[in-house]
């Protein structure tokens, strides 16, 4: 029996994916928002004077980078509630997992960007009487932020795609919605192709958005 | 104004400063010369504690910088610094470069700081560049902005760390002119420099540092025309022979 591409099934899949898409976007945006805060904090901690603080951030980064996100998701959603007795909704769990996971990678991006700023900038800031914190806030951070944009865009794309793994903890996001549709119509080819198209449109949009942001910051000075 | 006693500074096993005493009076212009690697920049950087002295004592306007009770940020605001590489903040406009200190360190309002900033930019001849950014300026212009930036804190002394060494030869004059103007106005200045002409003309006192100690010091007239220390003779000979 020859395979026939069902064009109508392909197109009809898109409206059905909308609810899952909404969740995917919510989790990705929420997760990356907190992930950026967490990552900035951990990245700056890696540059702290105190060895304890540096080690603490180091352990976090290594533990997350060294384990699969799938395991982290299962552990947080099924494992942790057993230990602490508090159940969280799959969506909240999804946001936490994306935040904690992306935070570890963003920490390294932040550390690298801050370290790449010429030490003369810090000396100039300190020499006019700014405190360490003020120097970071007004002199180093704005310059580092600009250098973070390309690798951050990369991480945003990776994390967006990683939300698909959250289907295992029952988050009705894009991937899971696609799976549910196939379980009814058995048209895996058309449905997953549609799912892939939706992811591709989102990741290309992020890449394009980051490119434009970078260009804007370049022309309107650093 | 500045009182350095028996200053030592080591970088690991390397002894860079081996016991320097230096007293700079209010209103005095002191030029420090010496071969590269002699430790002259390190002395300067110890004064505002960008380098932490290994031993000895340094007082700036009566504040002992080695004392844990001293707020080093306040001392730094009183002792401005101008760097060889300018170190302007590239993400800020020229005016913002100058007003950052007054606003954040002196808690001045933005309006007052802008007024002060424009006045200082006028003083260094760059009022029309206020809205530009550092990468649109020549090296000489950048260094003049850096001088305005340190003046904005209304410091009691300014430390110049080879301020013209990174400049194209034709841009050196404009920076030295601004520095000479400051000296005439009575600003206390410590200048690490290779500009012998400037030292001769503007300095009240010239200091020759080599191998981490002061080898000779004196008023510029005697210092340049009649050097006693053999190292200084050799150094001046090398510098002058190329003129």
């Amino acid at each position: 029996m020859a395979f026939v591409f069902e064009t109508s099934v392909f197109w009809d899949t898109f409206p059905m994916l909308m609810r899952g898409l909404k969740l995917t976007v919510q989790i990705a945006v929420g997760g990356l928002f907190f992930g950026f805060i967490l990552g900035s904090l951990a990245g700056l901690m890696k540059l702290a004077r105190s060895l304890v603080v540096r080690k603490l951030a180091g352990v976090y980064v290594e533990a997350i980078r060294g384990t699969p996100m799938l395991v982290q998701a299962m552990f947080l959603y099924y494992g942790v509630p057993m230990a602490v007795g508090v159940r969280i909704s799959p969506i909240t769990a999804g946001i936490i997992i994306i935040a904690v996971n992306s935070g570890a990678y963003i920490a390294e991006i932040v550390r690298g960007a801050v370290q790449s700023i010429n030490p003369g900038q810090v000396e100039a800031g300190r020499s006019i009487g700014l405190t360490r914190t003020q120097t970071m806030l007004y002199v180093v951070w704005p310059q580092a932020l600009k250098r973070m944009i390309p690798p951050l865009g990369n991480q945003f794309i990776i994390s967006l795609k990683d939300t698909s793994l959250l289907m295992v903890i029952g988050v009705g996001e894009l991937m899971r919605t696609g799976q549910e549709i196939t379980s009814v119509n058995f048209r895996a080819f058309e449905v997953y192709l549609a799912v892939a198209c939706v992811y591709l449109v989102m990741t290309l949009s992020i890449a394009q958005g980051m490119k434009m942001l970078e260009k804007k910051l370049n022309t309107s000075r650093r | 104004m500045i009182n350095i006693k028996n200053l030592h500074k080591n970088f690991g096993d390397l002894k860079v400063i081996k016991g320097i005493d230096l007293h700079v009076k209010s209103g005095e212009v002191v030029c420090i010369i010496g071969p590269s690697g002699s430790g002259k920049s390190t002395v300067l950087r110890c004064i505002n504690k960008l380098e932490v002295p290994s031993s000895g004592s340094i007082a700036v306007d009566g504040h002992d910088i080695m004392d844990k009770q001293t707020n080093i940020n306040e001392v730094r605001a009183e002792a401005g610094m101008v760097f060889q590489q300018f170190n302007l903040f590239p993400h800020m406009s020229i005016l913002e470069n100058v007003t950052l200190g007054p606003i954040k360190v002196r808690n001045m309002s933005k309006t007052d700081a802008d007024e002060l900033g424009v006045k200082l930019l006028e003083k260094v001849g760059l009022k029309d560049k206020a809205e530009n950014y550092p990468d649109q300026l020549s090296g000489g212009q950048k260094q003049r902005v850096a001088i305005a930036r340190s003046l904005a804190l209304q410091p009691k002394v300014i430390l110049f760390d080879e301020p013209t060494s990174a400049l194209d030869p034709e841009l050196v004059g404009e920076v030295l002119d601004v520095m000479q103007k400051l000296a005439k106005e009575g600003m206390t200045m410590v200048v690490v420099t290779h500009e012998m002409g400037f030292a001769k003309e503007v300095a009240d006192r010239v200091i020759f540092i080599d191998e981490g100690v002061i080898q000779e010091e004196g008023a510029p007239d005697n210092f340049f025309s009649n050097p006693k220390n053999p190292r200084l003779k050799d150094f001046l000979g090398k510098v002058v022979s190329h003129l």
Side-chain angles (χ1 to χ4, degrees), chain B residues 138-141 144 164 166-177 195:
Chain B
S138 72
Q141 290 172 329
R144 286 187 279 152
T164 58
L167 296 177
D168 289 339
E170 76 270 23
L171 302 176
V172 169
E174 62 187 71
V175 173
L176 294 182
D177 286 346
E195 298 293 331

Side-chain angles (χ1 to χ4, degrees), chain A residues 134-193:
Chain A
Q134 284 176 321
T135 305
M136 176 53 74
L137 204 60
Y138 305 121
V139 177
V140 178
W141 189 254
Q143 297 182 58
L145 205 54
K146 203 191 122 200
R147 294 197 186 166
M148 286 177 213
I149 290 171
L152 271 184
N154 205 22
Q155 184 57 45
F156 287 179
I157 287 169
I158 292 171
S159 290
L160 176 83
K161 293 189 296 179
D162 278 352
T163 58
S164 63
L165 294 171
L166 297 171
M167 66 181 282
V168 299
I169 59 166
V171 181
E173 43 67 66
L174 191 54
M175 177 62 196
R176 191 181 173 97
T177 311
Q179 197 195 29
E180 281 162 3
I181 297 167
T182 11
S183 69
V184 176
N185 66 8
F186 302 107
R187 299 301 305 184
F189 190 93
E190 289 84 353
V191 172
Y192 288 127
L193 189 64

Side-chain angles (χ1 to χ4, degrees), chain B residues 115-227:
Chain B
E115 199 181 314
L116 172 70
V118 169
K119 215 168 73 190
L120 290 171
L121 286 176
E122 194 169 13
K123 184 172 185 160
V124 299
L126 291 169
K127 192 181 165 190
D128 56 327
K129 300 285 184 192
E131 301 308 319
N132 288 72
Y133 281 79
D135 63 358
Q136 298 170 307
L137 268 55
S138 72
Q141 290 172 329
K142 282 182 197 169
Q143 197 59 300
R144 286 187 279 152
V145 172
I147 293 172
R149 177 174 68 181
S150 68
L151 284 173
L153 279 299
Q154 288 153 332
K156 297 205 168 84
V157 51
I158 301 185
L159 313 169
F160 292 85
D161 189 4
E162 302 196 28
T164 58
S165 297
L167 296 177
D168 289 339
E170 76 270 23
L171 302 176
V172 169
E174 62 187 71
V175 173
L176 294 182
D177 286 346
V178 170
M179 290 168 62
Q180 186 159 18
K181 200 159 97 185
L182 284 180
K184 278 195 183 130
E185 287 171 9
M187 176 59 79
T188 312
M189 294 162 61
V190 182
V191 186
V192 169
T193 187
H194 292 295
E195 298 293 331
M196 298 304 149
F198 177 81
K200 213 167 185 171
E201 200 174 332
V202 181
D204 297 309
R205 189 152 47 111
V206 185
I207 288 172
F208 175 64
I209 293 182
D210 192 17
E211 307 229 302
V213 293
I214 294 179
Q215 305 275 0
E216 182 157 344
E217 66 175 293
D221 290 348
N222 253 324
F223 187 92
F224 287 108
S225 58
N226 191 17

Side-chain angles (χ1 to χ4, degrees), chain A residues 51-71:
Chain A
L51 181 73
V52 180
V53 174
R54 286 205 304 271
K55 286 275 178 227
L56 212 66
V59 167
Y60 160 61
V61 170
E62 294 309 328
I64 296 300
R65 288 200 311 184
T67 56
M69 200 186 94
L70 200 54
V71 177

Side-chain angles (χ1 to χ4, degrees), chain A residues 124-139 142, chain B residues 71 73-74 77 89 91-92 95-114 116 149 152-153:
Chain A
R126 301 304 308 269
S127 80
I128 58 172
L130 296 177
T131 63
R132 264 173 72 95
T133 313
Q134 284 176 321
T135 305
M136 176 53 74
L137 204 60
Y138 305 121
V139 177
Chain B
N71 183 342
N73 299 316
E74 282 170 20
F89 307 130
H91 59 300
M92 295 182 189
L95 185 61
E96 286 166 341
N97 264 275
V98 178
T99 58
L100 182 68
I103 291 171
K104 300 301 175 192
V105 178
R106 299 283 193 226
N107 296 317
M108 208 182 262
S109 75
K110 193 180 176 303
T111 328
D112 290 351
D114 282 351
L116 172 70
R149 177 174 68 181
L153 279 299

Side-chain angles (χ1 to χ4, degrees), chain B residues 226-237:
Chain B
N226 191 17
K228 291 175 188 65
N229 182 289
R231 286 178 181 280
L232 174 59
K233 274 184 194 168
D234 183 48
F235 178 72
L236 288 177

